[in-house]
Amino acid sequence: MEILTVVAPVFGARCSVVVGPDRSCVVVDAGAGVGGQVRALVEGRGLRPRAVLATHGHADHTWDAPGLAAAWDVPVVLHAADAYRLADPFGTLGVLDPRHDPHGPLAQALGAAGVDVGAWQPPARVEPFGSASDARSADALLAWDDVRLVARHAPGHTEGSTLYLLDADGAAPTVLSGDVLFAGSVGRTDLPGGDDATMAATLRDVVATLPPDAVVLPGHGPATDVRTELATNPYLARAR
């Protein structure tokens, strides 16, 4: 499978277009301001979109998901524990909610990108996976034609944060890590639904058990790999 990247203007969130051999594709993390670029990319390459996925429900990873899903008549897919966030993605951001802090970092980023905070419309079709009540759900195999991903529940940043693992013909997987793992850091745990102890357990029991040569494409910032993070990431070191 091929992975194409579009970087959102809001917080530099990574949006990934995962393309199967048959030209089917899914879009992962359609953040604020990527919709036009993603549609042009998909249409220019003659791709067939099947779903819009989210690694978690924060607005900087989901804002353009409803519009893309509606344009293509496909579902928005994310872990059941974060599905509630799609009703009001700003209302679940606590201190970052731009309606409560009109001069805060998210409000400024949205304004610079020309995003209307009041324009949110929840997606018409949502297809959650996993369990909203389990501390950690079992892996879910998500498949659309030739696009196949393993969704691995990795709570801590949010309740439903998820790693998407893509097999590479028997080689080590590529991991779309959202805001669970960054190069040299991890996602914050001080927003609603975040939890330090849960994140530490995820780092120890989920992230640290990934294949060392797995490539990691974080939700923000540069790519990395599991071996490098095990050796240098201070948050992983403390969690182990």
Side-chain angles (χ1 to χ4, degrees):
M1 285 186 286
E2 182 181 11
I3 303 175
L4 310 172
T5 298
V6 177
V7 178
V10 175
F11 291 171
R14 181 191 303 272
C15 175
S16 300
V17 182
V18 181
V19 184
D22 65 351
R23 312 311 290 168
S24 296
C25 72
V26 299
V27 175
V28 182
D29 282 354
V34 301
Q37 286 180 272
V38 171
R39 288 188 69 174
L41 177 63
V42 167
E43 292 163 10
R45 289 187 172 233
L47 305 179
R48 296 183 293 124
R50 292 292 182 253
V52 179
L53 282 61
T55 57
H56 62 293
H58 282 161
D60 58 322
H61 294 260
T62 62
W63 184 265
D64 281 7
L68 289 174
W72 296 327
D73 191 23
V74 301
V76 172
V77 178
L78 78 171
H79 194 279
D82 264 20
Y84 76 96
R85 296 176 181 272
L86 296 179
D88 180 12
F90 289 131
T92 65
L93 283 174
V95 296
L96 284 183
D97 187 337
R99 297 167 302 185
H100 297 158
D101 185 6
H103 303 294
L106 181 55
Q108 292 185 18
L110 291 167
V115 176
D116 180 0
V117 172
W120 175 257
Q121 293 291 329
R125 294 172 57 193
V126 179
E127 295 183 0
F129 58 84
S131 170
S133 60
D134 290 347
R136 183 170 295 128
S137 301
D139 286 359
L141 174 62
L142 307 179
W144 297 270
D145 301 326
D146 282 354
V147 178
R148 295 175 178 271
L149 307 87
V150 173
R152 183 160 296 169
H153 192 198
H157 178 62
T158 67
E159 307 96 321
S161 287
T162 299
L163 307 178
Y164 292 116
L165 282 62
L166 289 68
D167 282 329
D169 298 324
T174 295
V175 182
L176 305 180
S177 66
D179 288 2
V180 174
L181 179 68
F182 305 131
S185 188
V186 299
R188 60 191 294 177
T189 58
D190 60 330
L191 299 176
D195 184 80
D196 283 339
T198 302
M199 177 64 91
T202 283
L203 296 175
R204 181 184 66 244
D205 301 333
V206 178
V207 173
T209 61
L210 293 168
D213 52 347
V215 174
V216 177
L217 301 181
H220 305 267
T224 184
D225 59 75
V226 173
R227 179 177 286 107
T228 297
E229 297 311 306
L230 288 173
T232 63
N233 190 312
Y235 295 91
L236 270 171
R238 285 200 293 270
R240 298 168 69 197

